[in-house]
Amino acid sequence: MTQVDQYKGKLGFEIRDPDALSNGSTAVVDTLEEYGHSVRQFQSRNPNLIRLDCDHYRVELRYRRHPIKPTQASAAGADSTETPLRSSLGVTLTPNHPDHCDVELSELLLAMVLRRLAEDLDVATVDWLHVPFTLTRAAFLGVFEDAETQAESHAQAAADHAAPDAYPVTEIAADIAGIHSAKSSAPLSPQTTPEAPPPAAPQVATPIDAALDTPPPLPLPQPTNGAKPVANGRLRGRACFEPVEVTIAQLEEHYAAMLQSPDTRPTGRHALEARNRARARAKAVMTPPRSSGTAVARLGGLLAAMPQRMIATTSHLLLRSPQLRGHLHIVCGATALLALQSSAAVAF
């Protein structure tokens, strides 16, 4: 698809209109915003030039004054006529992204801009894109009127085509009703017996249907003698709850039982057992757990220190006892002699 860099159109005037540029810029802005192209920037540095920056296009409006210029303008269904022009207003649409711009949509947008300008301004001729001839204002606007007329005719034809499709349905329904009435009015032959109608399916009443069918119950009068209203064996409404005073009294008794001091607590067997279990659980929770490695190391140290303690205790007892001191000397001397003999230091 060939990409077009610019889309141009021009409007010719038979007079010089100094307000053509300002009024035309307003019409162009309204048309662009109507078709979803909001104007982001409006530049009017030159008295004869206005630039509009949109999201997808840059629009330029240039107003020119020139001497009387005879122009051949073509009318619809007639030969061209000579129209003297004194000024012109050029409209140029430049896509910001030509590679991603649809040509047909851009041409349609330019056509709608020129149509709005031709309707709002005193325009004599219209130049459209690169068409080699000039159109008169009536011929240019007549194209849009013909398009709208064709669209309306197509819509009417579609509606007329859809109406016969629905008409046979009514005919079929009427035929079915006539057949049923004929069958019901026809006499029965002796061989035929009327067929019993099929039993109707039992209607299951849903809770929603029951709620919609049954009227709302009337409010029951509140008893004055303290009796509670009962419906179908069940309490209803506020009767389901105890009075506020009774509830407050029960809560106060419960809190008093929970906050009573140790001196006023029950001292029965079950109470003591429960108290002991609670203390045991609290102690187990509060006591930090001992690691298995520390317990094993402590046990090993106790076992290693047992022989040393036993020897030290025995020696202490022997040395401090006066009755065993002489026997201890004899045992020690005999042990020393045996040691010397075994080492060949003394011979007997």
Side-chain angles (χ1 to χ4, degrees):
M1 182 174 62
T2 304
Q3 298 294 336
V4 181
D5 294 337
Q6 291 182 343
Y7 302 88
K8 297 181 179 181
K10 185 172 67 172
L11 304 175
F13 302 91
E14 294 181 349
I15 60 175
R16 293 181 179 178
D17 187 2
D19 298 331
L21 186 62
S22 59
N23 296 335
S25 63
T26 304
V28 171
V29 170
D30 294 341
T31 306
L32 292 174
E33 292 182 351
E34 181 180 356
Y35 289 94
H37 299 280
S38 59
V39 179
R40 299 179 177 177
Q41 190 173 5
F42 187 98
Q43 297 181 3
S44 180
R45 299 178 180 177
N46 192 323
N48 296 326
L49 177 65
I50 291 179
R51 293 179 180 177
L52 307 175
D53 292 338
C54 303
D55 48 0
H56 297 293
Y57 300 96
R58 294 190 305 275
V59 184
E60 290 186 0
L61 301 177
R62 186 181 295 274
Y63 181 76
R64 291 186 175 92
R65 302 181 183 89
H66 47 74
I68 298 176
K69 179 181 179 182
T71 304
Q72 298 293 329
S74 300
D79 297 334
S80 60
T81 58
E82 184 176 346
T83 304
L85 301 179
R86 293 176 176 269
S87 60
S88 62
L89 179 64
V91 181
T92 305
L93 265 70
T94 305
N96 293 331
H97 310 284
D99 298 336
H100 304 282
C101 182
D102 188 86
V103 177
E104 295 181 356
L105 293 178
S106 301
E107 292 178 355
L108 290 175
L109 182 61
L110 177 62
M112 299 308 298
V113 170
L114 294 178
R115 179 189 180 184
R116 181 68 178 273
L117 292 174
E119 292 176 349
D120 293 351
L121 304 178
D122 189 8
V123 178
T125 60
V126 178
D127 290 322
W128 164 251
L129 294 176
H130 302 286
V131 178
F133 54 87
T134 303
L135 296 175
T136 61
R137 178 179 181 273
F140 180 75
L141 295 179
V143 175
F144 297 95
E145 295 177 358
D146 295 339
E148 293 176 355
T149 304
Q150 294 178 2
E152 292 178 358
S153 62
H154 285 302
Q156 185 65 28
D160 296 341
H161 181 70
D165 295 340
Y167 182 71
V169 177
T170 58
E171 291 185 347
I172 293 172
D175 295 340
I176 293 174
I179 292 172
H180 281 288
S181 61
K183 286 185 178 181
S184 60
S185 61
L188 297 175
S189 60
Q191 292 82 9
T192 60
T193 58
E195 296 180 358
Q203 296 182 357
V204 181
T206 60
I208 298 177
D209 296 335
L212 293 177
D213 295 338
T214 58
L218 297 176
L220 296 176
Q222 296 293 334
T224 57
N225 53 358
K228 298 180 180 180
V230 180
N232 299 328
R234 297 176 60 185
L235 298 177
R236 300 185 61 181
R238 297 183 179 179
C240 298
F241 305 96
E242 295 289 343
V244 179
E245 295 78 5
V246 178
T247 305
I248 293 176
Q250 293 177 357
L251 292 175
E252 289 179 354
E253 293 178 1
H254 182 66
Y255 292 153
M258 293 175 60
L259 299 176
Q260 59 185 347
S261 61
D263 299 334
T264 59
R265 289 179 182 176
T267 57
R269 181 173 59 86
H270 298 287
L272 294 176
E273 292 178 358
R275 194 178 308 161
N276 293 334
R277 287 194 299 269
R279 290 178 179 176
R281 287 194 297 268
K283 186 177 181 180
V285 172
M286 298 300 295
T287 303
R290 297 180 179 179
S291 60
S292 57
T294 305
V296 171
R298 185 174 180 182
L299 181 60
L302 292 175
L303 294 177
M306 286 180 63
Q308 299 178 2
R309 292 183 179 181
M310 293 177 63
I311 295 173
T313 303
T314 305
S315 303
H316 180 72
L317 292 174
L318 293 174
L319 292 175
R320 293 297 298 266
S321 178
Q323 299 177 355
L324 298 177
R325 188 175 300 173
H327 301 284
L328 180 59
H329 292 169
I330 295 172
V331 172
C332 291
T335 302
L337 290 175
L338 290 174
L340 293 173
Q341 184 179 4
S342 61
S343 60
V346 178
F348 295 98

